[in-house]
Amino acid sequence: MCGILAVYSPAADIQSVHIDKALAELNHRGPDFRNRYISPDRKVALGHTLLAIADAPENSQQPIEFEHLRMTYNGEIYNVAHVRQALRSKGATLTTTSDSEALIKAAYYFGLEYLSNITGCYAFVIHDSKLNKVFFGRDPYGEKQLVWTTTPAGLLAISSESKALKHIPGVALNTNTTRIWQDFIFGFYSPRSETYFDNVHNAEPGTIYAVDHNGNVREHLKIKSTSAVCYTDENLHMALANAVKSQIPDRFSPAAILSGGLDSSIITTLLDKSSSSLQAFTAYYQGTESEDFSSAKKLTSILKHTTLQPICVSSDDGNHLFSKVTHSLEEPLLDQVYISQYLLYKAVSEKGLRVALNGQGADEFWCGYNQHYDFPMQSEAIQKHRWHDFYFKKAIESGLGLLLTESEIKTLIEEHLPDTSGKEPLEVLTQFSIENHLRAMLCHEDRLSMASSVEVRLPFLDRHVISLALSLAAKDKIVDGVEKMPLRRAFTNELPREIAQRRKLAFPDAPEKNYTHILTSHSNQERFNGFFSQADFKKFQSQGKNLWMLFGVNAFHNSFSH
């Protein structure tokens, strides 16, 4: 996986020094090679940092040019053999095994509509010198991150991460206040169209944008992500097994991120069948042993080719890494689990591995959050037309009522919740999860893995697996209150009984000493001032509200305010 950067300036004033500084911010995403192109008229700049996976670095250098197209790209095409075959049928010549060559030539020969035929994940920017336009976009569910912004002078800047944009003249990374308030209400279900920075937007998943010669951005086309299929448990097993197999890199051994839950256990089991030697990484808190960790040990003890790599998370880790993880994530740390995730991918990198597979994406499509996020209670609220009340109560419980008026809170809720008229509540909640929670989780996986130059791959987001998931009604995924029943049935003969039947659990909270150490550490006292004042902290404390959110927001705000 890689880092990409693009700038379009109608004023023709792009300077190489700014592009170079921005690219340096993305070096962790691609330490193998760094390059940029600036057009002779200084209107267009494309930059790239390379993490070579599919081909050797010398065969994967970008930006890449073919005819009148020039592209910077981050992603993996898992059906690349099919794409190459289609290109050869058009008379195209392919000289490397890199995805980037296949993608730019597919865009040339077939147009960007061809992306609907691609199985994979991607983010890209293409400059078409013949049309004098720039096109950019990302995959259907947002696995690969892409943000963009415009300046008052009409300049457009696009990047894999917001932190690179601060080096572009006219761009400032100011805290997006609305995003902060939304998190108090919705948490991981907050809207994801905007980043935590004012006027820095997330590119919508599955959307390709066109930029005209004046720098105006508009939607160009939508990518089709699924097809009509016939659901059976056997088809699900086959699709997921094929997805895992297609995502195993040719040049590197994969790692498995194993939580011990159903989804990651399925992925690890399938990987074990296709690997002669697999390392599975599991995090646990120092001095504790959770049900997750016990399940991970149980699973790896019966697999033939898998070795468990336990990663211990101590209270010192949390304090030491809090600022670093905040900066990597470009978001406030809503949960201490981010630190554990960061350490998992760091351990993968330290073992010399570049690709990790995990079970992210299963919960949103297979109703895994039925109990975890109170879906039965939310369903009842939707039926009674009181869904807004459900989230208003959450906002007050979080302490937002100490900061905003009731009217302001209700407006934020009204702006985000979709119309539920005539819709089955569980279907509403499933779609709400896909459009919000999933996008949040994918952003976190991308940022925290790439911080250690590791590419994360997600078989549950394979287009064939998703097509099967969406062919079933949400109610058919929950049986007698038990979530993800199709997955349990499809893999019941390959997993230990206790794993196949165990309920969805969140990653366990850190021991109290882990986060109280972060809050009380002398080195973190400055974070009690920033976006929130000491008076805000005292107000929350006097009302018995959790201080973690305030602390996390201040750490984020202070990290990017200089």
Side-chain angles (χ1 to χ4, degrees):
M1 216 51 66
C2 311
I4 63 176
L5 175 78
V7 176
Y8 179 75
S9 174
D13 58 357
I14 294 174
Q15 300 296 317
S16 59
V17 62
H18 302 136
I19 304 304
D20 291 341
K21 287 182 178 179
L23 277 177
E25 291 281 358
L26 301 176
N27 194 62
H28 55 281
R29 299 186 68 92
D32 295 332
F33 182 77
R34 188 165 76 200
N35 193 24
R36 42 90 168 156
Y37 162 81
I38 300 177
S39 62
D41 62 4
R42 296 199 170 273
K43 286 188 174 181
V44 177
L46 300 178
H48 190 263
T49 63
L50 172 68
L51 180 65
I53 301 292
D55 206 343
E58 58 268 23
N59 295 329
S60 305
Q61 295 176 6
Q62 297 186 46
I64 186 172
E65 180 182 12
F66 182 69
E67 299 295 345
H68 53 86
L69 303 180
R70 196 180 297 265
M71 177 183 76
T72 181
Y73 153 77
N74 166 31
E76 295 294 338
I77 301 174
Y78 302 128
N79 66 335
V80 69
H82 174 80
V83 178
R84 291 192 183 105
Q85 183 180 5
L87 286 168
R88 291 190 181 101
S89 72
K90 281 285 191 177
T93 300
L94 296 162
T95 60
T96 72
T97 60
S98 72
D99 291 1
S100 53
E101 182 188 17
L103 182 59
I104 194 171
K105 290 183 177 178
Y108 175 80
Y109 283 101
F110 304 115
L112 291 173
E113 294 82 359
Y114 188 78
L115 288 167
S116 292
N117 298 308
I118 285 178
T119 299
C121 52
Y122 50 82
F124 68 86
V125 183
I126 291 178
H127 175 226
D128 186 326
S129 59
K130 186 176 180 180
L131 295 178
N132 192 26
K133 286 187 175 182
V134 171
F135 299 91
F136 68 95
R138 61 176 177 153
D139 57 77
Y141 291 99
E143 287 187 58
K144 297 302 113 191
Q145 303 306 302
L146 196 64
V147 301
W148 63 278
T149 188
T150 55
T151 70
L155 177 146
L156 167 70
I158 309 163
S159 178
S160 298
E161 297 182 9
S162 299
K163 61 177 66 72
L165 301 177
K166 67 183 181 182
H167 299 288
I168 306 302
V171 177
L173 298 183
N174 297 317
T175 299
N176 183 345
T177 302
T178 300
R179 287 291 288 111
I180 302 301
W181 303 144
Q182 288 164 337
D183 281 350
F184 277 93
I185 305 171
F186 300 105
F188 295 128
Y189 281 82
S190 294
R192 306 297 297 187
S193 58
E194 302 301 316
T195 70
Y196 283 80
F197 304 104
D198 281 334
N199 195 41
V200 179
H201 319 283
N202 283 308
E204 289 296 308
T207 302
I208 309 304
Y209 300 86
V211 185
D212 65 20
H213 66 281
N214 291 318
N216 299 312
V217 179
R218 64 174 179 82
E219 183 180 310
H220 178 61
L221 61 89
K222 289 283 191 180
I223 302 303
K224 183 181 178 182
S225 60
T226 58
S227 55
V229 294
C230 176
Y231 179 85
T232 66
D233 291 346
E234 292 76 16
N235 286 345
L236 174 57
H237 188 288
M238 184 187 311
L240 198 46
N242 289 339
V244 169
K245 190 172 182 179
S246 72
Q247 294 185 21
I248 296 174
D250 294 331
R251 298 176 61 241
F252 297 95
S253 297
I257 303 299
L258 176 60
S259 70
L262 176 67
D263 311 324
S264 63
S265 294
I266 290 172
I267 299 303
T268 303
T269 299
L270 292 172
L271 275 172
D272 184 81
K273 293 181 177 181
S274 300
S275 306
S276 59
S277 178
L278 176 67
Q279 297 183 67
F281 293 77
T282 300
Y284 71 97
Y285 294 115
Q286 187 177 36
T288 69
E289 181 162 327
S290 66
E291 185 176 344
D292 278 337
F293 190 35
S294 298
S295 294
K297 289 196 294 184
K298 172 67 174 178
L299 180 67
T300 53
S301 71
I302 65 172
L303 295 178
K304 292 182 178 180
H305 307 115
T306 303
T307 301
L308 185 64
Q309 297 288 351
I311 308 302
C312 178
V313 182
S314 71
S315 58
D316 288 338
D317 287 326
N319 186 50
H320 174 66
L321 292 172
F322 192 89
S323 295
K324 185 176 182 63
V325 175
T326 297
H327 193 76
S328 296
L329 198 61
E330 300 184 346
E331 297 184 10
L333 300 196
L334 299 185
D335 196 318
Q336 300 104 20
V337 73
Y338 294 138
I339 294 166
S340 302
Q341 285 179 273
Y342 175 88
L343 288 170
L344 279 171
Y345 288 114
K346 183 173 182 286
V348 170
S349 179
E350 289 172 347
K351 289 289 185 180
L353 303 173
R354 290 193 165 204
V355 175
L357 277 68
N358 77 16
Q360 194 66 262
D363 285 312
E364 290 83 0
F365 284 98
W366 298 95
C367 293
Y369 293 131
N370 186 50
Q371 297 295 331
H372 185 62
Y373 284 119
D374 295 322
F375 275 18
M377 185 182 297
Q378 291 199 62
S379 292
E380 183 179 356
I382 291 171
Q383 285 180 323
K384 294 181 177 179
H385 307 289
R386 300 188 67 85
W387 200 21
H388 292 67
D389 296 339
F390 175 89
Y391 278 105
F392 182 79
K393 181 181 178 182
K394 287 180 69 70
I396 297 303
E397 289 174 349
S398 74
L400 189 57
L402 302 174
L403 303 167
L404 298 182
T405 66
E406 288 191 5
S407 176
E408 289 171 326
I409 294 172
K410 289 178 178 178
T411 297
L412 288 168
I413 295 172
E414 182 70 30
E415 289 173 346
H416 184 41
L417 291 187
D419 180 16
T420 63
S421 303
K423 299 176 183 177
E424 201 281 319
L426 196 54
E427 296 290 351
V428 170
L429 291 167
T430 298
Q431 191 60 35
F432 195 57
S433 294
I434 293 169
E435 293 178 356
N436 300 289
H437 192 278
L438 178 63
R439 288 179 62 178
M441 298 301 105
L442 296 181
C443 179
H444 304 160
E445 292 292 349
D446 177 84
R447 297 278 164 76
L448 295 175
S449 61
M450 291 308 298
S452 295
S453 305
V454 172
E455 175 186 313
V456 63
R457 298 184 178 184
L458 308 173
F460 277 104
L461 295 187
D462 174 88
R463 62 186 297 157
H464 305 293
V465 177
I466 288 176
S467 294
L468 288 164
L470 296 181
S471 72
L472 285 179
K475 63 181 177 60
D476 294 327
K477 299 168 187 176
I478 302 172
V479 179
D480 296 329
V482 179
E483 71 281 354
K484 297 189 284 195
M485 281 303 296
L487 284 172
R488 297 178 192 278
R489 293 194 306 264
F491 290 91
T492 189
N493 295 326
E494 298 178 56
L495 298 173
R497 185 171 180 270
E498 55 267 39
I499 293 177
Q501 294 185 356
R502 65 174 290 196
R503 304 299 297 273
K504 168 70 182 178
L505 296 174
F507 189 79
D509 288 336
E512 185 176 358
K513 65 178 181 180
N514 284 43
Y515 59 86
T516 55
H517 189 191
I518 295 172
L519 292 172
T520 59
S521 170
H522 176 73
S523 62
N524 288 319
Q525 290 304 303
E526 65 182 46
R527 295 190 178 88
F528 284 97
N529 276 303
F531 186 91
F532 294 112
S533 67
Q534 287 193 17
D536 292 325
F537 277 90
K538 290 178 180 179
K539 190 185 302 182
F540 265 58
Q541 198 164 28
S542 68
Q543 296 295 316
K545 304 300 181 183
N546 194 318
L547 301 180
W548 181 269
M549 180 67 176
L550 275 64
F551 182 79
V553 169
N554 275 5
F556 161 79
H557 177 79
N558 294 340
S559 179
F560 292 97
S561 63
H562 303 298

